[in-house]
Amino acid sequence: MTNVSTTNASNQQLPIIDLSAADRGPEARALLHAQLHSAAHDVGFFQLIGHGVTDEETRLLLTAMRRFFALSEERRLALDNVNSPHFRGYTRTGDERTGGRRDWRDQLDIGAERPAHVPGAGEPPYWWLQGPNQWPDDLPELRTAALRWVERLSGVAEKLLHELLTAIGADPAFYDGIFGRHAHPHLKLVRYPGGSGDGAAQGVGAHKDYGFLTLLLQDQVGGLQVEREDGLFHDVPPVPGAFVVNLGELLEVATNGYLRATNHRVVSPPGATERFSVPFFYNPRLDAHVQPLAFPYASTAPGVTDTPDNPLFAEYGYNELKGKLRAHPLVAERHHAELLTPA
């Protein structure tokens, strides 16, 4: 249950940033950079409009997504991620964990469509994260829409990252080499089926994302909460057509804490109310080494948040593998028992 003493349902809106300002001349772009700098440094979250993703593109994805969740549980479980050593496929409600507690949602996990990379002798175990997706045979439009969304939002995130790095005075192309053709994007199609009746159940527990950027498409039901400067979790009112953007831990590490990765969570909707959301995670190559960023404000950086139970590694793949093993214990136990830490 959510501790209500840590919640402030004030509907305090996040900064709203228009990415199209980057293409409207030097004055508009300068204002965009000022807004991005403030939002990324002070909050770590903002609402993104002017991204260029059309209503029709969004409709196609959401229609296919709803058709998937309308399938019988038996047909959805034909794609059970327990069958995938790559952590791809369907997770039934309650099978994913955050902070050791069950998340009350079900979802389909999708990544770049690539052949399986089974680690050979001496290769890092994170190569297990590369592999094929699982798709329903009788819903081909889902595969088409989801992979198109991954490609589309990778482009939006790349542009956003360039503008963000420019905003803090860094080389906008500094990290281009760790993305490109071999980047490791991740898409979730998520349904929150409703809580225990009072809306207080853990939809997903408080956490930070471990990549670079997350772009979230949420419906109008609400439930996302972000930890703000007062230490309380504030509701994020949905903005039609906007993506909720948050910075991941890799950007916090890259800037020694100058840019913020912020705790957030989802409170389950009340009763039988369904909530749908589509988070997209812009991640680098699995074997990427994230180098420190040179920028004019580096001397004022406060340092990375100290979380001893969540160590960060030099290679991105180890960070994602660590998270997957924790979040999906059934997959870990079936396929990767040798990677689990003894209790």
Side-chain angles (χ1 to χ4, degrees):
M1 301 291 286
T2 299
N3 182 348
V4 294
S5 67
T6 64
T7 301
N8 183 349
S10 65
N11 287 336
Q12 178 184 357
Q13 186 53 272
L14 297 171
I16 298 177
I17 293 177
D18 184 352
L19 186 58
S20 69
D23 306 313
R24 294 205 302 267
E27 285 191 16
R29 192 167 183 233
L31 177 59
L32 166 68
H33 291 161
Q35 293 171 331
L36 270 176
H37 190 157
S38 175
H41 175 57
D42 298 332
V43 185
F45 261 86
F46 51 91
Q47 300 265 18
L48 187 72
I49 61 174
H51 42 69
V53 178
T54 67
D55 291 344
E56 178 63 10
E57 289 173 302
T58 302
R59 185 192 67 79
L60 288 172
L61 179 69
L62 294 181
T63 298
M65 174 183 174
R66 286 178 178 270
R67 287 175 180 165
F68 172 74
F69 285 110
L71 297 175
S72 67
E73 182 178 54
E74 179 182 9
R75 291 168 72 189
R76 282 179 272 127
L77 284 173
L79 312 179
D80 197 330
N81 74 342
V82 173
N83 299 320
S84 168
H86 318 293
F87 297 87
R88 305 290 178 85
Y90 176 70
T91 305
R92 78 180 87 197
T93 303
D95 278 0
E96 187 174 17
R97 305 287 194 273
T98 301
R101 296 178 56 200
R102 301 170 72 198
D103 293 328
W104 202 245
R105 61 178 183 175
D106 60 343
Q107 64 192 29
L108 187 68
D109 281 279
I110 299 162
E113 194 68 84
R114 294 179 184 139
H117 185 159
V118 177
E123 284 192 303
Y126 58 64
W127 287 115
W128 278 113
L129 299 172
Q130 177 177 307
N133 296 299
Q134 297 192 74
W135 305 104
D137 293 335
D138 54 353
L139 203 60
E141 64 269 30
L142 179 65
R143 183 183 191 277
T144 300
L147 292 181
R148 185 176 294 155
W149 194 259
V150 169
E151 181 179 2
R152 191 76 169 88
L153 263 65
S154 292
V156 174
E158 180 183 32
K159 179 177 182 177
L160 176 59
L161 180 60
H162 283 175
E163 297 300 333
L164 174 57
L165 295 184
T166 302
I168 63 170
D171 174 4
F174 187 80
Y175 290 118
D176 283 3
I178 63 173
F179 285 94
R181 295 177 52 240
H182 300 291
H184 190 72
H186 179 204
L187 177 67
K188 286 177 178 278
L189 307 180
V190 184
R191 174 180 60 177
Y192 297 88
S196 58
D198 57 5
Q202 172 175 298
V204 60
H207 66 285
K208 299 177 181 180
D209 297 338
Y210 37 75
F212 264 70
L213 293 168
T214 302
L215 280 69
L216 171 72
L217 176 68
Q218 63 170 341
D219 64 16
Q220 297 304 301
V221 173
L224 175 65
Q225 295 182 336
V226 172
E227 188 174 24
R228 299 298 293 267
E229 298 85 347
D230 57 9
L232 302 178
F233 282 88
H234 291 253
D235 291 334
V236 178
V239 173
F243 292 117
V244 181
V245 175
N246 65 281
L247 279 58
E249 290 174 326
L250 288 184
L251 270 176
E252 180 171 316
V253 170
T255 61
N256 196 28
Y258 187 79
L259 300 182
R260 294 183 57 188
T262 303
N263 272 320
H264 53 288
R265 67 187 184 190
V266 174
V267 175
S268 291
T273 302
E274 289 184 317
R275 174 183 185 264
F276 293 90
S277 71
V278 185
F280 169 79
F281 304 91
Y282 187 58
N283 302 324
R285 297 190 328 254
L286 287 170
D287 59 350
H289 287 255
V290 180
Q291 299 298 322
L293 187 67
F295 63 107
Y297 306 94
S299 63
T300 68
V304 176
T305 306
D306 183 21
T307 50
D309 61 339
N310 184 39
L312 294 170
F313 300 95
E315 287 177 82
Y316 169 69
Y318 282 115
N319 288 307
E320 181 162 330
L321 180 62
K322 169 198 65 183
K324 287 288 198 295
L325 293 172
R326 290 178 176 180
H328 297 279
L330 299 180
V331 179
E333 289 163 10
R334 173 175 289 193
H335 298 285
H336 306 296
E338 75 283 0
L339 301 178
L340 300 177
T341 303

